Amino acid sequence: MNGRSRNEEAFPQLLDLIPKDREWHENRAHKFSEERKLELRLGPPGEEEDDVVRGRKESLLSLGYFSASVNGGHTQKPVSPPWASSSKTQNINQQKGVSVSSSFLQPQPSPPANTAVPNSSQKRTAPGPVVGWPPIRSFRKNLASSSTSKVVSQHESQNHQQRVVVEDKVAGKKPVADNNNNVAVGGNKSLFVKINMDGVPIGRKVDLNAYYSYEKLSSAVEELFRDLLAAQRDSCGGGIQNKQEVEKAFIGLLDGSGEYTLVYEDNEGDRMLVGDVPWHMFVSTVKRLRVLKSSELPAFTRGGCKQDKITT
Amino acid sequence: MPRIAYAFPDEVLEHVFSFIHSDQDRNAISLVCKSWYEIERWCRRSIFVGNCYAVSPVMVVKRFPKLRSISLKGKPHFADFNLVPEDWGGYACPWIEAMASAYPWLEEIRLKRMVLTDESLELISKSFKNFQVLVLSSCEGFSTDGLAAIAANCRNLRELDLRESEVEDLSGHWLSQFPDSFTSLVSLNISCLGSEVSTCALERLLAGCPNLQSLRLNRAVPLEKLVNLLGRSPNLVELGTGAYTSEMQPDVFSDLSRAFVGCKQLKSLSGFWDAMPYYLPAVYPISSRLTSLNLSYATTESPYLVKLVSECRNLQRLWVMDYIEDSGLEALAVSCKDLRELRVFPSDPFGLEPNVALTERGLVSVSEGCPELQSVLYFCRQMSNAALVTIARNRPNMTRFRLCIIEPRKPDYLTLQPLDAGFGAIVEHCKNLRRLSLSGLLTDRVFEYIGSYGKKLEMLSVAFAGDSDLGLHYVLSGCDNLRKLEVRDCPFGDKALLANAAKLETMRSLWMSSCNVSFGACKLLGQKMPRLNVEVIIDERGPPDSMPESCLVEKLYIYRTVAGPRMDMPGFVWRMEGDSALRVS
C-alpha cells in the first residue's frame, strides 16, 4: 500500500497488542454507553460525523444514565429460584412506580398508559384463525393435503357428505373447526367411511384420516365392534366366555389368519383385501369397509401359503 | 512523527489482520486507533449487515473499498409468518447497484428476506468478473429469467442457493443457460422451485461439474430420474431428493439404493416429498454415514420414520414432522446419541384436536437421551412445567430453544398453571441460551426470569404472553445481550418502551404488533431518539397526524441506524419524528 518493505522480524509482542476477546468485552462493559456509541459510528473514535442533531450525545448519555439507575437495582438483586413463589412482584411494582414518575421520557399529558387499558390477556374463547399463527412458513402449511393432491377432490366431496358427522363428533368438546380451515388445508380433515361386520346388525363409521397405518385401523375396528359383537353373542348366552372369544375374534384381521378378515370396496366397486397397497393409496380409493367372516371368503393366498391358517 | 514510532509497517499489520475473520474482532481492531482503522478497512474482505436499513450502501462502499463478500438481511423475521405487509421494503437493488460500480471483484452475495429483481440479477451476472456465490434465502421478486442470466454469465459460479425463496417460475429452461464449458459448480439448491427443470439440462450440468458437493432438487424431479443424477455426481455430500414416490418397482428400489451407496461422501439428506414407506429403506445402506436428515416434508407414518431414524446412529441433525410421535422420539433418544439439533413440525397446524400422538414426552425423552442436544424447535399441543424443568436440567448446554404450543395461551395441562416456572427453569439452567421462543400461558413472571437469567440471550420471540408493561420492562432492562426482540399480541405498552428507550440503540431491532403501544409514545420515541427509526405500520386510514395520541399502533418496527430515515417506505409505513410523522418518499 505504501511501498514500505516488510519487516520480517516478527515482534513477539505483536499478538498482545490485539485485545483478547474477553478483555475487550470487559472493557466494553465498563464503558457501556461510550462503547456502544462508538460501535454505531463508521468513522474513527473522536471524529464528529455529519449529524444534524448535535445535542444527541448529551441526551444519549442521560438516557443511558437513567436506564442504569432504573435497571441497576433490579438486575443486581439476587433472584429467587423460579419455582419458589415470591412476593417480589410487589417490590417491582413499587420500583416501577418510582421509575415512571421520574421517567425522562414522560408520556404526554393524556397518556394511554394512565387510562385503563383493556387487559387483553384474558383467555379468548373459541380461537378463530389467527394471522401468522402457529408460526410456520407457508410452504409447510399444506404438505399433508398436497401429498394426496391427486385425490383431494375425492376427499373434499366426501367431506361434504360427512360434515354432519364431523360436527356430531366434536360437539360438546370444542367448537367446530372453522370451515375455512377445512377447505384451506384440503381433504385431510376427516374421511369417514361406513364399516359393517358380519353378524352385527348395526354398522359404524370410521375416520380413516385418524389413523396412519393398517395396524391402527385394525385396533380401531376392534374397539368399534368388540362390545357390539359381545352383545350379539350374549343374546345367545355365554357370559364371560363370550368376552374372551370376542377378543380372539379380532386377531389376524389383516393377514387372513383370524376368524374375521378386513376387506373394503374401492372406487371401482370391487371388493379388495385390506393391506395390499400403501396406506395413502388405500385411503384414496376406499369407499367402505367390511369385516367378513374368513370362512365366507373364497380360498386365497396372501404372500404365501396361509390357507391352512384360516379358521372356520 | 507517529509513524516512526511504529515498529512495523502497514503490510505486517495487514498480514496479521488477515488471520482475523470474525466480524466482532474486526470491528474491535478498527477501534484501536486511527491507523488500525485505516489499515483494517482496506483489508476487510467480508461484511455482514444484519439490517439493510441500519447503514446505507454508500456508507459501506466508502468505508470498505475492497470487499469480496457481503451478506444482507432485510425484512423482520415475522415476515416469514405473513405479519409484514407486501411491499414493506427490503430492496436489494440499491445495494447491488452500489456494489456493481464499487466492487468489480466481488465474489459472494448472500441475501436473506430481501426483494430482488431480475434486473438486479442480470446486473450481478454482468458486473462481477469472478462472481462465485449467490445465496438467496427467503427472498422474492425475481423470476427464472433472472436465474438464466446468472447461469449464462457467471463463469466461475460455485454456489447457487435459492433456499426457500419465492421465485416466479416462468419455465425450467433457465438451467440450460449454463454453458457447456461450465465446470465450477459446487452447490446447487433449487428446492423451492415449483415447475419442472429439464432433467437433461441437469444431467449435462452435473456431468460437467465434478466438484459438485451439494445438490438439492425440487419436488418436480421424479424418483426414477434421481438415480441417473446421483450417478453423475459421485462426490455429493448433501442431497435433496425430489418427490420420493413412485410405482413400487424393485429394480428402481435397488438402483436407488446402489446410487446412494455410490456417493461415498453422502452425509446429508433432505427433500423426501410424499415419501413412500416402500422406498425409505433404500437409504438404509448409508444410514450410518448420515449426520443430517431432513424429513420435514415426508408425510409418512410413524413406524417407517422410526425405523429409518433408528438406523442413523450418527445423526446430528433431524428435522421431521410430528408423525414421528413420542414413541419415535424415544427411539431417537436411544439410537442417536450424537444428536445436536431437533426440529419437529406440525402436520396439522390448524386442527383443534391432536392428530398424532406427539406430546411433551417426546421432547423430554430426547433431552434425556441425547447429551449433545443444543438446538430445538418443537411444535406440540400440550406442555407442562414439570417437563420443561426436566428438559432444562437435562440439557444445560441448550443454546436455541423454540417451543410452539399450538393453542395460544394454553396452560400447563397437568396443573393448569402458567408455564412461567418451566421457561424460567430453561433460562436459569441453560446459561448459554442465545435464542428463545415462548408459547403457552405466561404471565409477567416469566419475563422476570428471562431478565434475570437470560444474560446471553440474543433473540427472543414472544406471542400472546404477559400481563402488563412489566413483562417488557424486565426483558429490556435485564437481557444484556439482547439483539432482536419480536413481540405479538402482548399487553405491553408505552411505559416499558419509553423507560428503556436507550436499550433500543443497543439492539438490532424490535418488532411489536397487536400490543398496547400508542401513537403518542411512538412519536415521543422518534423525537428523542434520532438514531432509531421508529416505523409505524398502519392501515390506509390516513397519515398518523390525524390520529389521536392515545390511539394504539397496530405494528411497530424500531431499529437502530446510522443512515437516517429510509427512502423507500411504502404508503402504510410512517417514521415517527418530532411532532409529526414523517414519510419520505
Side-chain angles (χ1 to χ4, degrees):
Chain A
M1 206 176 0
N2 47 14
R4 274 202 212 159
S5 62
R6 248 176 231 228
N7 192 338
E8 288 298 336
E9 296 160 44
F11 287 76
Q13 296 88 355
L14 184 62
L15 287 175
D16 290 345
L17 290 176
I18 299 173
K20 289 194 175 41
D21 212 25
R22 189 174 304 171
E23 285 173 341
W24 186 260
H25 280 145
E26 277 171 5
N27 286 337
R28 279 219 289 227
H30 290 313
K31 303 189 242 174
F32 185 71
S33 56
E34 283 292 331
E35 295 300 338
R36 288 297 180 207
K37 187 167 54 133
L38 287 172
E39 265 198 314
L40 288 177
R41 291 169 169 282
L42 285 182
E47 252 177 31
E48 272 295 331
E49 274 185 85
D50 293 346
D51 202 309
V52 181
V53 181
R54 295 283 171 206
R56 67 177 163 76
K57 237 199 282 188
E58 199 185 346
S59 62
L60 175 62
L61 281 177
S62 67
L63 280 176
Y65 173 80
F66 180 73
S67 296
S69 73
V70 168
N71 305 336
H74 176 60
T75 52
Q76 283 158 21
K77 265 192 191 153
V79 188
S80 51
W83 44 90
S85 62
S86 68
S87 54
K88 254 181 57 153
T89 332
Q90 291 171 351
N91 296 339
I92 302 300
N93 272 332
Q94 286 164 6
Q95 219 188 15
K96 189 197 103 177
V98 168
S99 71
V100 167
S101 60
S102 57
S103 171
F104 173 86
L105 293 174
Q106 277 221 331
Q108 298 300 325
S110 55
N114 287 342
T115 62
V117 175
N119 185 359
S120 61
S121 68
Q122 292 153 4
K123 191 170 161 72
R124 295 192 186 125
T125 47
V130 180
V131 173
W133 191 264
I136 53 171
R137 307 286 302 274
S138 343
F139 56 79
R140 292 196 182 279
K141 279 180 191 168
N142 292 324
L143 277 173
S145 61
S146 58
S147 72
T148 51
S149 57
K150 298 188 289 270
V151 292
V152 157
S153 52
Q154 234 180 7
H155 283 190
E156 279 174 351
S157 63
Q158 278 178 337
N159 260 350
H160 231 71
Q161 291 164 344
Q162 312 303 346
R163 193 160 289 156
V164 172
V165 185
V166 173
E167 284 170 2
D168 284 346
K169 202 149 164 76
V170 301
K173 284 189 204 173
K174 277 182 181 182
V176 176
D178 189 69
N179 281 345
N180 289 339
N181 281 344
N182 256 333
V183 174
V185 181
N188 203 34
K189 297 304 283 184
S190 45
L191 176 57
F192 282 92
V193 295
K194 289 187 195 174
I195 176 167
N196 289 84
M197 182 164 182
D198 274 356
V200 179
I202 302 257
R204 303 295 305 263
K205 268 195 169 156
V206 61
D207 175 7
L208 290 178
N209 276 340
Y211 314 108
Y212 293 97
S213 68
Y214 290 118
E215 281 72 31
K216 288 226 170 109
L217 175 62
S218 177
S219 349
V221 169
E222 179 177 346
E223 284 222 13
L224 280 176
F225 283 107
R226 189 173 43 211
D227 295 334
L228 283 175
L229 189 64
Q232 205 58 26
R233 292 189 181 182
D234 258 344
S235 61
C236 315
I240 295 172
Q241 210 181 4
N242 270 341
K243 201 165 175 228
Q244 287 168 342
E245 269 180 26
V246 160
E247 271 166 15
K248 270 198 291 190
F250 289 96
I251 298 172
L253 260 185
L254 296 174
D255 61 17
S257 65
E259 191 183 336
Y260 289 90
T261 302
L262 193 57
V263 303
Y264 70 104
E265 221 174 82
D266 70 3
N267 51 356
E268 291 172 7
D270 296 325
R271 182 171 280 188
M272 313 289 289
L273 274 174
V274 163
D276 282 342
V277 298
W279 175 260
H280 63 267
M281 208 182 281
F282 162 69
V283 161
S284 64
T285 54
V286 63
K287 282 287 165 273
R288 63 187 301 160
L289 287 161
R290 294 196 79 87
V291 185
L292 294 184
K293 261 197 144 353
S294 302
S295 54
E296 303 276 312
L297 289 168
F300 64 95
T301 51
R302 204 188 176 104
C305 208
K306 285 194 182 153
Q307 275 172 320
D308 15 302
K309 287 199 186 146
I310 297 175
T311 57
T312 45
Chain B
M1 240 7 200
R3 298 222 101 160
I4 299 169
Y6 276 101
F8 28 74
D10 294 352
E11 287 91 347
V12 176
L13 279 173
E14 191 179 323
H15 181 67
V16 171
F17 295 167
S18 71
F19 292 104
I20 301 190
H21 303 294
S22 115
D23 289 328
Q24 263 191 325
D25 290 341
R26 279 276 181 160
N27 290 345
I29 288 173
S30 66
L31 294 174
V32 167
C33 61
K34 287 185 194 178
S35 171
W36 281 36
Y37 173 89
E38 275 300 307
I39 298 169
E40 195 282 321
R41 79 181 186 92
W42 277 92
C43 69
R44 183 148 357 175
R45 293 284 173 261
S46 167
I47 191 176
F48 167 76
V49 180
N51 174 5
C52 65
Y53 291 119
V55 71
S56 74
V58 167
M59 286 166 147
V60 170
V61 161
K62 188 166 158 226
R63 180 175 172 186
F64 301 112
K66 297 275 183 196
L67 286 184
R68 297 276 167 88
S69 159
I70 185 161
S71 300
L72 294 168
K73 290 189 177 181
K75 299 187 203 176
H77 174 237
F78 272 177
D80 284 353
F81 317 125
N82 303 322
L83 286 176
V84 177
E86 289 277 311
D87 304 326
W88 173 87
Y91 302 108
C93 185
W95 289 90
I96 310 285
E97 280 171 3
M99 295 189 299
S101 44
Y103 302 134
W105 294 107
L106 191 72
E107 294 170 1
E108 305 181 356
I109 295 177
R110 294 178 172 83
L111 304 177
K112 186 165 187 177
R113 285 189 209 100
M114 295 196 76
V115 178
L116 184 66
T117 60
D118 286 341
E119 287 73 29
S120 295
L121 282 171
E122 205 175 318
L123 190 59
I124 291 172
S125 76
K126 297 204 169 132
S127 310
F128 309 117
K129 301 298 163 212
N130 195 26
F131 193 67
Q132 298 175 21
V133 172
L134 183 63
V135 178
L136 302 174
S137 180
S138 305
C139 294
E140 56 172 356
F142 60 102
S143 77
T144 42
D145 286 351
L147 297 178
I150 296 284
N153 300 319
C154 299
R155 297 298 151 108
N156 295 320
L157 194 69
R158 279 191 295 117
E159 272 183 56
L160 178 59
D161 186 342
L162 305 175
R163 54 179 87 153
E164 292 152 20
S165 291
E166 270 183 49
V167 184
E168 196 192 341
D169 220 324
L170 300 175
S171 87
H173 294 315
W174 67 273
L175 206 62
S176 317
Q177 296 300 310
F178 282 109
D180 290 333
S181 53
F182 179 69
T183 58
S184 49
L185 202 62
V186 171
S187 169
L188 179 67
N189 179 355
I190 53 168
S191 54
C192 62
L193 294 184
S195 67
E196 282 185 38
V197 286
S198 149
T199 346
C200 283
L202 259 179
E203 283 174 5
R204 198 166 47 90
L205 183 63
L206 299 189
C209 297
N211 299 317
L212 193 70
Q213 287 180 5
S214 174
L215 176 65
R216 296 192 207 268
L217 303 166
N218 62 339
R219 194 174 187 172
V221 175
L223 194 59
E224 299 86 9
K225 296 289 162 88
L226 182 62
V227 174
N228 294 341
L229 295 170
L230 283 178
R232 281 158 207 264
S233 31
N235 295 322
L236 278 187
V237 175
E238 294 177 345
L239 170 71
T241 74
Y244 203 73
T245 178
S246 178
E247 303 260 314
M248 297 191 294
Q249 298 164 56
D251 40 344
V252 173
F253 181 98
S254 50
D255 287 345
L256 186 60
S257 209
R258 218 173 301 125
F260 281 139
V261 171
C263 295
K264 305 220 174 293
Q265 316 293 329
L266 200 51
K267 290 213 275 272
S268 162
L269 289 179
S270 58
F272 293 109
W273 283 279
D274 316 311
M276 281 176 73
Y278 180 81
Y279 282 108
L280 282 181
V283 175
Y284 291 173
I286 61 163
S287 52
S288 59
R289 275 198 247 136
L290 293 179
T291 56
S292 169
L293 192 53
N294 182 351
L295 295 167
S296 63
Y297 302 125
T299 50
T300 319
E301 306 137 49
S302 174
Y304 306 106
L305 290 177
V306 175
K307 186 104 210 311
L308 174 57
V309 159
S310 307
E311 298 269 328
C312 300
R313 304 208 165 252
N314 292 309
L315 213 54
Q316 293 176 15
R317 179 197 299 154
L318 176 67
W319 292 21
V320 71
M321 292 193 86
D322 57 7
Y323 292 137
I324 195 165
E325 301 192 320
D326 289 337
S327 53
L329 291 176
E330 275 162 33
L332 179 72
V334 167
S335 308
C336 306
K337 293 303 185 188
D338 208 16
L339 194 72
R340 319 229 169 133
E341 179 181 330
L342 175 68
R343 296 197 191 187
V344 179
F345 295 94
S347 52
D348 185 17
F350 305 110
L352 289 178
E353 299 291 333
N355 61 324
V356 290
L358 181 104
T359 67
E360 81 284 5
R361 288 192 283 279
L363 186 56
V364 173
S365 312
V366 179
S367 77
E368 274 162 4
C370 302
E372 306 295 331
L373 186 71
Q374 305 169 353
S375 173
V376 167
L377 170 63
Y378 200 77
F379 284 82
C380 61
R381 285 191 157 81
Q382 66 183 41
M383 185 52 62
S384 67
N385 282 310
L388 283 170
V389 170
T390 305
I391 292 166
R393 285 184 170 146
N394 286 339
R395 294 277 62 81
N397 53 333
M398 191 82 71
T399 55
R400 289 182 209 84
F401 190 75
R402 292 193 277 165
L403 179 67
C404 179
I405 303 161
I406 289 181
E407 188 188 326
R409 302 198 183 91
K410 190 153 189 201
D412 176 330
Y413 77 102
L414 294 171
T415 63
L416 298 184
Q417 293 298 303
L419 290 169
D420 301 334
F423 280 106
I426 296 278
V427 286
E428 192 195 351
H429 288 277
C430 307
K431 302 206 188 297
N432 289 317
L433 195 70
R434 293 201 306 270
R435 184 166 180 184
L436 178 64
S437 298
L438 305 172
S439 57
L441 183 65
L442 297 164
T443 71
D444 285 343
R445 177 67 59 87
V446 73
F447 300 106
E448 191 185 339
Y449 299 146
I450 292 172
S452 301
Y453 293 113
K455 295 307 181 188
K456 296 269 178 74
L457 198 62
E458 294 176 9
M459 182 168 178
L460 179 65
S461 306
V462 186
F464 306 105
D467 308 313
S468 74
D469 277 55
L470 265 185
L472 181 59
H473 173 70
Y474 288 139
V475 170
L476 289 178
S477 57
C479 297
D480 299 331
N481 281 297
L482 194 65
R483 291 189 295 115
K484 287 181 281 184
L485 177 60
E486 45 186 25
V487 178
R488 62 164 296 177
D489 293 275
C490 299
F492 300 151
D494 301 344
K495 284 182 288 199
L497 197 58
L498 295 176
N500 292 286
K503 173 73 173 177
L504 300 177
E505 276 199 16
T506 72
M507 292 165 53
R508 183 188 295 174
S509 66
L510 167 65
W511 168 279
M512 291 179 73
S513 56
S514 307
C515 296
N516 291 346
V517 180
S518 72
F519 268 116
C522 293
K523 279 196 249 176
L524 185 58
L525 199 59
Q527 181 187 8
K528 296 295 178 185
M529 311 289 293
R531 285 189 313 181
L532 294 180
N533 278 352
V534 178
E535 292 181 8
V536 157
I537 297 175
I538 56 170
D539 56 32
E540 299 297 320
R541 271 176 291 160
D545 280 357
S546 58
M547 295 201 191
E549 303 268 304
S550 56
C551 192
L552 294 186
V553 157
E554 182 52 37
K555 291 177 184 174
L556 173 62
Y557 186 53
I558 302 174
Y559 56 91
R560 68 178 177 186
T561 179
V562 291
R566 59 179 175 116
M567 298 296 160
D568 58 5
M569 285 184 287
F572 52 82
V573 177
W574 293 82
R575 181 177 185 270
M576 300 288 108
E577 189 177 273
D579 290 325
S580 60
L582 173 74
R583 180 161 69 84
V584 179
S585 51

